[in-house]
Amino acid sequence: MSQGNSQNNIFEALQVGLTQAESVQTPGEVHGTLTGMLCVDNEISGARAVEDVKNNKIDGALDALREMTLEGLFDPDLSFQPLLPADDVELERRVQALARWCAGFLYGLSADGTFDINNLSGEVGEVVNDLTELSRAGLTAEDADNESAEADYAELVEYVRVGVQMVFLELQPKREGPTRRESLH
């Protein structure tokens, strides 16, 4: 199964779980919140990303989402992907989902009260400011008719993907791997 299909399945399953749990949050918003929280503290549980759940039926799914997200963030090949609707969903809904993902990410960064943008390097601080702007993104009728709108959206998603990894790498220590053996000559 391709990563795109896997992401689509996770998005849809999380949507169903959130609806059943009577949450008003969207899958992208939850994933953004969880990702922001993990950038600050990679030990938090997945369930912390959902504020308004009436029951704990989706805790296991959220913990699995947490593990998948951390795996992508720590991956040396930078495989992290924001959880967004599939490419066959109308562009306006995908842009709204990206905006909510960014809003969730910003909320997740600040949720425990320890995050301070002034402690970030200039480049990473700019990324957080850009994500703040993207959290207000929308699509006008003129934009929707523009042939380059799809390419523009894809570029924004890639910017978010890479930018979030930059934030994570700056805020989280690198995982220690196995010690490399010295070769004898």
Side-chain angles (χ1 to χ4, degrees), residues 44-99:
I44 61 116
S45 76
R48 294 240 350 254
V50 181
E51 297 289 325
D52 63 344
V53 173
K54 303 282 190 245
N55 58 51
N56 61 0
K57 290 181 181 178
I58 63 171
D59 285 357
L62 291 169
D63 285 336
L65 181 62
R66 174 195 177 277
E67 291 304 313
M68 179 194 79
T69 303
L70 272 178
E71 186 177 302
L73 289 167
F74 274 117
D75 183 4
D77 294 328
L78 307 175
S79 66
F80 169 78
Q81 291 290 328
L83 188 61
L84 297 167
D87 289 341
D88 60 353
V89 172
E90 76 178 30
L91 183 60
E92 183 175 5
R93 285 190 52 217
R94 287 183 283 144
V95 169
Q96 289 171 350
L98 179 61

Side-chain angles (χ1 to χ4, degrees), residues 79-146:
S79 66
F80 169 78
Q81 291 290 328
L83 188 61
L84 297 167
D87 289 341
D88 60 353
V89 172
E90 76 178 30
L91 183 60
E92 183 175 5
R93 285 190 52 217
R94 287 183 283 144
V95 169
Q96 289 171 350
L98 179 61
R100 288 193 70 176
W101 193 98
C102 291
F105 178 76
L106 296 167
Y107 173 76
L109 280 179
S110 62
D112 77 353
T114 62
F115 177 76
D116 183 354
I117 193 169
N118 297 316
N119 293 335
L120 298 176
S121 67
E123 186 178 20
V124 174
E126 279 185 48
V127 167
V128 173
N129 286 329
D130 290 345
L131 293 176
T132 301
E133 290 299 315
L134 284 172
S135 72
R136 297 186 281 267
L139 194 65
T140 65
E142 184 178 302
D143 292 334
D145 293 337
N146 186 339

